[in-house]
Amino acid sequence: MNNKYVLEKYSPFNGIEDFYILNNEYIGEKYFLYSTPKVNYSLKIKSNGYVPKSGLIYSKIISNIVKDKKILDLGTGQLGIIAIHSLYCGAKSVKAVDIDKECIDWLNLLINENNLENIETIESNLYDKLSNEKFDIIFSNPPQMPMLSGSKHDSGGEDGRYFILRILKESIIHLNDNGELYILLFDFLGTNIQTNNEESLKNIGKKLGYSKIEIVLETPKIIKENSVTFQSLEHIKKIYPKYSFKEINGNLYFNIQILKFIK
Ligand SMILES: C[S@@+](CC[C@H](N)C(=O)[O-])C[C@H]1O[C@@H](n2cnc3c(N)ncnc32)[C@H](O)[C@@H]1O
C-alpha cells in the first residue's frame, strides 16, 4: 500500500499535454514528469516545493529552437524546468541562474540525481555573476506581478516591470549576434500596446537596439479566486488603466505571452 504512486496529468494550460505529477502521499514523495516518445524525464519535487505553472508554456517552443545552442535560463526556479527541458531537447550547454539559494540547492540535487551534464547553476542577482559571457538563447519567466511587496517568485515591484526592464536592458550585452531573448510576459503590463502612460515593452525593446520583436506564443490565463493576480487586481487596474480584463464564462482572464527579442 505504501508503495502506491498515483499518476495524474498536469496541464495548467490548454495545449500543455505531456506533463504529469507522480505522487505517493504515504511516503510524501512527489515527482514532476515529462513524457513524450522522444523526450522524457522526471524531477523530484521538494516537500512543499514549487511546482511550475506559467513557465510550462515554454515547452511548446523549446524543442524547435534549442538544438546545439548555448542557453541561459534567468530565474530558473526550484525544478529549473526551462533549463532542464532545454537540455533534454538537445541544447549544447545550459546555465541556470537564480537569486534564491534554496532553488539552486534543490536544482543541484536534481542535476546529481539525474546525472545531468552540460548544465551549470549560478546563484546570482540576474547577470551579476556572469561577467561578459554571451549566449545564443536567453529564456526568462521573471517575477512580474505588480505589487508593493511580496514573494521574490512573484513580485515585480509596484508596476511589475522592474525585472523585465532590467532583463531587456542587460540581455542585449549577453547575446551573441542574432541571439534571441525569450521572455514570458503578462499582456496587461503593456507588451505590444500601451496600457498606461509608459511605453509598451515592445517599443522599449526597439529603443534598446533589438532588431526584431514578436509575440511567438499567447495563451489565456483565468484569474482564480485567491490567486496572487486576484489579490493584486485592484492595484493592477490602478497602474494599468488602459487595460481591460476580458471575461469568459463569468471568469476574468488575461493573456500570457512569450515575446522574442532578436539582437
Ligand atoms: C516566476 S518564477 C519562474 C521559475 C521558473 N523559471 C518557471 O518558469 O517555473 C521567477 C524566479 O526568478 C527568481 N528571481 C527573482 N529575482 C531574481 C533575481 N534578481 N535574479 C535571479 N533570479 C531571480 C525567483 O527566485 C524565481 O525562482
Side-chain angles (χ1 to χ4, degrees), residues 50 52 55 75-77 82 98-100 124-126 141 143 152-153 163:
Y50 169 83
T76 194
I82 298 166
D98 208 287
I99 198 168
D100 185 345
S124 171
N125 182 355
L126 297 186
N141 173 13
K152 55 182 164 243
H153 292 246
F163 293 108

Side-chain angles (χ1 to χ4, degrees), residues 51-77:
V51 180
K53 232 183 258 153
S54 59
L56 296 186
I57 67 169
Y58 270 109
S59 65
K60 291 177 86 168
I61 61 166
I62 282 177
S63 61
N64 296 325
I65 57 176
V66 298
K67 184 124 187 54
D68 297 329
K69 300 278 199 241
K70 182 176 176 188
I71 308 289
L72 173 68
D73 177 17
L74 214 46
T76 194

